[in-house]
Amino acid sequence: MSDVPQSHPRYISLTLRDKIVKGVEIGITSVHGLIAHGRGEAFDYLLSEKTQPFAISAIHAAGAMLRLAKSPVISVNGNVAALVPDDLVELANLLSAPLEVNIFHTESGREKKIRQHLINHGAEHVLMPTTEAQLSYIDSNRKYVHPDGIFIADVVFVPLEDGDRCEALRKMEKNVVTIDLNPMSRTAQMASITIVDNVIRSLPLLCAEIQKLKSDSEMKSILNQYHNQNILSEALKHICRGAND
Ligand code: ATP
């Protein structure tokens, strides 16, 4: 984005748009991802484009849940691959967890391009969807998963998720951690832990949280005290206050 000065009040937002547009140009992000991004922008505006206290609480709980997981997996779609590839790779390394490509629209070999993009950013272990393992309760392409990844995972980290699959994962008794700017989306409502924030701000914070020294009992206690519905209510209240100001 050469022609927008850093002093521009919407510099960060415009930079993110550029990343998504670039993602479409290099074939890792679907054109539909532009619309999803636009929906996210609107909610981010109402969150003052800042990480709010309810997101910080969710990040603490998410760090605990991911660290206590036996088989965590990081699910990657075209938007997160375009926006935060380095942070996804860092999270995978911190958790010793695989990244797994899982997308709704599979046009033009996009799955392979996302895998290559992650490898270009330093990923070592990127799983691909297979027909050998399928999620129950879902009909779209997103049901195809890897037998050693999402299929057997106890905790799935799915930023910018599609509500159908989040619901399917929960029905399969998996825990789901998501990042979603819209506290009313089906994903936000269905997930075990919802970080209502922009993935660009919260994923680095989540990586930092995971590196903090904490005992298992401390992390279990954080999880016991966490209530996702309360966090979603706080997020919604914040948005309504902002809209009424
Ligand atoms: P659902 O099926 O869960 O109800 P949806 O149909 O509203 O979701 P999708 O188009 O599947 O939404 O996915 C986009 C979701 O991702 C939206 O909820 C949007 O707010 C959120 N989103 C978009 N960009 C970002 C971002 N950068 N960080 C966090 N969330 C984002």
Side-chain angles (χ1 to χ4, degrees):
M1 196 174 55
S2 52
D3 50 352
V4 178
Q6 287 196 18
S7 56
H8 191 289
R10 306 221 57 74
Y11 178 77
I12 294 176
S13 172
L14 294 170
T15 308
L16 296 191
R17 279 190 191 177
D18 263 17
K19 285 190 179 195
I20 289 285
V21 168
K22 176 91 186 302
V24 174
E25 283 168 359
I26 63 174
I28 61 170
T29 307
S30 163
V31 285
H32 302 89
L34 298 172
I35 299 167
H37 185 78
R39 178 150 30 202
E41 270 190 356
F43 280 99
D44 208 9
Y45 195 87
L46 293 166
L47 293 169
S48 318
E49 295 170 339
K50 288 198 175 80
T51 302
Q52 299 293 343
F54 45 78
I56 298 289
S57 302
I59 287 168
H60 289 158
M65 182 174 272
L66 287 164
R67 268 184 55 187
L68 289 168
K70 290 193 174 59
S71 307
V73 174
I74 300 158
S75 179
V76 180
N77 71 11
N79 282 47
V80 282
L83 290 173
V84 283
D86 295 328
D87 299 301
L88 289 171
V89 172
E90 187 185 353
L91 183 67
N93 290 340
L94 289 170
L95 296 170
S96 300
L99 295 157
E100 179 166 338
V101 178
N102 187 278
I103 59 178
F104 192 84
H105 302 281
T106 56
E107 68 275 14
S108 328
R110 205 155 63 81
E111 289 159 336
K112 286 192 184 134
K113 288 180 189 160
I114 293 174
R115 179 170 186 272
Q116 190 55 51
H117 183 68
L118 293 169
I119 289 170
N120 294 346
H121 282 265
E124 286 175 12
H125 200 195
V126 185
L127 301 176
M128 296 291 277
T130 71
T131 48
E132 285 161 51
Q134 295 185 24
L135 297 180
S136 313
Y137 313 108
I138 182 165
D139 294 326
S140 77
N141 179 68
R142 299 195 81 175
K143 70 181 170 198
Y144 298 114
V145 290
H146 195 284
D148 302 328
I150 291 170
F151 192 68
I152 54 148
D154 54 344
V155 179
V156 191
F157 177 61
V158 279
L160 282 62
E161 176 58 342
D162 145 78
D164 281 4
R165 196 174 63 123
C166 184
E167 186 170 3
L169 292 169
R170 296 292 285 136
K171 280 189 185 159
M172 290 179 77
E173 297 186 351
K174 296 176 189 298
N175 276 314
V176 174
V177 176
T178 194
I179 300 177
D180 192 328
L181 281 158
N182 176 5
M184 290 169 284
S185 77
R186 281 176 310 138
T187 302
Q189 295 286 334
M190 299 290 314
S192 322
I193 297 176
T194 307
I195 301 167
V196 181
D197 193 22
N198 198 317
V199 71
I200 206 103
R201 292 190 299 269
S202 45
L203 199 45
L205 295 175
L206 180 60
C207 288
E209 176 67 24
I210 283 168
Q211 291 176 80
K212 286 184 189 154
L213 279 181
K214 282 194 185 128
S215 64
D216 280 13
S217 61
E218 201 180 338
M219 292 191 288
K220 281 180 190 158
S221 148
I222 291 173
L223 282 181
N224 282 339
Q225 287 166 37
Y226 181 82
H227 297 288
N228 207 44
Q229 273 309 327
N230 294 352
I231 291 294
L232 293 172
S233 303
E234 282 177 38
L236 203 50
K237 269 189 229 151
H238 180 99
I239 284 172
C240 294
R241 266 201 312 271
N244 288 330
D245 277 350

